[in-house]
């Protein structure tokens, strides 16, 4: 069996189309979408419709949770603030019924014909865990308590890597629509079942990045999403972290006195972060 795993599309239609076209040339038997199809670039709704049209398993990522729970008791108060303006844009694209459909997505997937694989968005514990090269084994064990599968396939961190843990493989998928490893490509994973285990191949597919950047400018996205939307666009353009460093600086400056997001963005850019 050849299995394609895609995740972290984040509303980037051009990247999603490129990844699907490339996967079609790889003779894959099955596609799994491991979460975060929506929220980020301007075209979340189109990406969601494309995902559903595939008829494949879809896991719920943290960004699906943000959209599904936006105006429910599970919502975090910070979601209503300017820092989450891109989320407000995304929520407005979906009906209540569609958001309930998103809320009902599973958090984990096990395949009957591949019993040695567990698929999650971030971990078996939640949809927001990060695994880095330096993450302690004890912390990873708490993320996958009770998990027995030899291959754990996840996404969320937007950087492809394989982590050896407890004689098992944790395979982190690259991001289709929001690469953060310096390469502006659509990245996804193909796993090929062999007698001695699974062959793991991370694919990095060129796509029309300028087309996606034009979508930020052609819509009212930048106007409505403010500084965070602008930094999202920079992340797509550069395949590098922008929002997290900005928010760290913003919170540091806020502790010294009142500063708006827009003022903080101007300072952030002026200092060449």
């Amino acid at each position: 069996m050849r299995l394609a795993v895609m995740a972290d599309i984040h509303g980037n239609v051009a990247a999603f189309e490129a990844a699907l076209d490339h996967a079609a040339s790889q003779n894959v038997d099955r596609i799994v979408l491991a979460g975060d199809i929506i929220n980020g670039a301007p075209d979340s709704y189109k990406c969601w419709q494309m995902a559903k049209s595939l008829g494949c398993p879809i896991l719920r990522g943290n960004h699906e949770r943000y959209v599904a729970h936006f105006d429910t008791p599970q919502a975090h108060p910070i979601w209503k603030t300017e820092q989450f303006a891109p989320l407000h844009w995304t929520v407005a694209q979906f009906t209540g019924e569609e958001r309930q459909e998103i809320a009902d997505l599973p958090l984990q997937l096990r395949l009957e014909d591949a019993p040695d694989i567990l698929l999650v968005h971030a971990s078996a514990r939640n949809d927001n865990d990060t695994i880095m090269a330096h993450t302690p084994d004890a912390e990873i064990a708490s993320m996958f308590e009770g998990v027995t599968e030899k291959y754990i396939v996840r996404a969320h961190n937007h950087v492809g890597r394989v982590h050896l843990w407890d004689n098992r493989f944790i395979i982190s998928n690259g991001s289709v629509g929001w690469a953060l490893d310096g390469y502006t490509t659509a990245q996804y994973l193909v796993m090929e079942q062999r007698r001695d285990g699974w062959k793991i191949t991370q694919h990095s597919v060129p796509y029309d990045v300028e087309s996606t950047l034009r979508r930020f400018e052609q819509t009212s996205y930048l106007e409505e999403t403010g500084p965070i939307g602008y930094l999202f666009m920079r992340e797509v353009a550069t395949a590098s972290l922008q929002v997290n460093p900005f928010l760290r600086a913003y919170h540091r400056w806020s502790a010294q006195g009142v500063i708006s997001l827009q003022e903080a963005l101007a300072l952030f850019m002026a200092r060449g972060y």
Side-chain angles (χ1 to χ4, degrees):
M1 180 168 66
R2 288 174 62 82
L3 177 68
V5 185
M6 301 184 185
D8 297 299
I9 297 156
H10 288 289
N12 188 337
V13 169
F16 196 12
E17 290 175 339
L20 289 173
D21 287 346
H22 189 270
S25 72
Q26 298 300 304
N27 298 316
V28 298
D29 301 297
R30 186 177 303 177
I31 294 175
V32 174
L33 301 180
D36 281 7
I37 292 116
I38 60 176
N39 197 38
D43 293 306
S44 288
Y45 190 76
K46 184 172 182 180
C47 285
W48 174 245
Q49 293 300 317
M50 288 171 59
K52 290 206 303 178
S53 73
L54 298 174
C56 67
I58 303 174
L59 296 179
R60 196 186 78 191
N62 56 305
H63 283 264
E64 278 83 26
R65 173 169 55 85
Y66 300 158
V67 171
H69 293 170
F70 181 72
D71 51 8
T72 72
Q74 296 101 311
H76 194 290
I78 199 174
W79 297 355
K80 300 289 187 178
T81 69
E82 187 183 6
Q83 288 185 41
F84 278 77
L87 173 61
H88 307 166
W89 166 278
T90 302
V91 169
Q93 297 181 33
F94 292 87
T95 67
E97 290 182 355
E98 289 166 337
R99 287 170 58 203
Q100 184 58 55
E101 183 181 18
I102 291 169
D104 292 338
L105 293 173
L107 301 179
Q108 302 181 12
L109 178 65
R110 290 176 167 89
L111 305 172
E112 289 186 5
D113 47 357
D116 52 351
I117 293 179
L118 170 69
L119 295 113
V120 298
H121 178 67
S123 77
R125 179 174 63 183
N126 62 45
D127 60 20
N128 207 36
D129 274 327
T130 290
I131 298 177
M132 307 297 288
H134 54 267
T135 302
D137 283 357
E139 178 63 16
I140 294 176
S142 67
M143 296 180 191
F144 298 102
E145 186 175 356
V147 171
T148 59
E149 285 82 3
K150 184 175 181 179
Y151 297 88
I152 299 168
V153 183
R154 61 181 298 278
H156 187 59
N157 295 137
H158 296 216
V159 176
R161 62 164 58 91
V162 177
H163 190 102
L164 300 180
W165 167 66
D166 192 29
N167 295 318
R168 285 181 276 182
F169 300 91
I170 299 177
I171 303 127
S172 293
N173 209 339
S175 170
V176 170
W178 213 272
L180 291 176
D181 62 355
Y183 295 93
T184 54
T185 55
Q187 300 171 14
Y188 77 100
L189 174 72
V190 171
M191 298 180 67
E192 182 179 358
Q193 195 174 30
R194 297 186 171 183
R195 291 182 180 180
D196 57 349
W198 289 84
K199 179 185 177 183
I200 301 160
T201 305
Q202 297 272 8
H203 289 281
S204 184
V205 183
Y207 77 95
D208 188 354
V209 180
E210 291 301 320
S211 172
T212 298
L213 297 178
R214 285 194 297 272
R215 291 294 296 153
F216 282 89
E217 297 167 345
Q218 292 168 349
T219 64
S220 59
Y221 181 94
L222 291 176
E223 177 183 348
E224 295 186 26
T225 60
I228 302 302
Y230 173 76
L231 291 171
F232 274 4
M233 183 177 70
R234 279 178 57 90
E235 289 196 343
V236 172
T238 64
S240 65
L241 281 170
Q242 302 286 320
V243 174
N244 286 350
F246 166 75
L247 289 177
R248 284 194 292 269
Y250 170 68
H251 295 314
R252 187 171 66 250
W253 297 329
S254 295
Q256 300 168 4
V258 176
I259 183 171
S260 69
L261 275 183
Q262 192 62 53
E263 291 169 337
L265 177 62
L267 185 57
F268 182 81
M269 300 300 296
R271 293 189 175 180
Y273 282 88

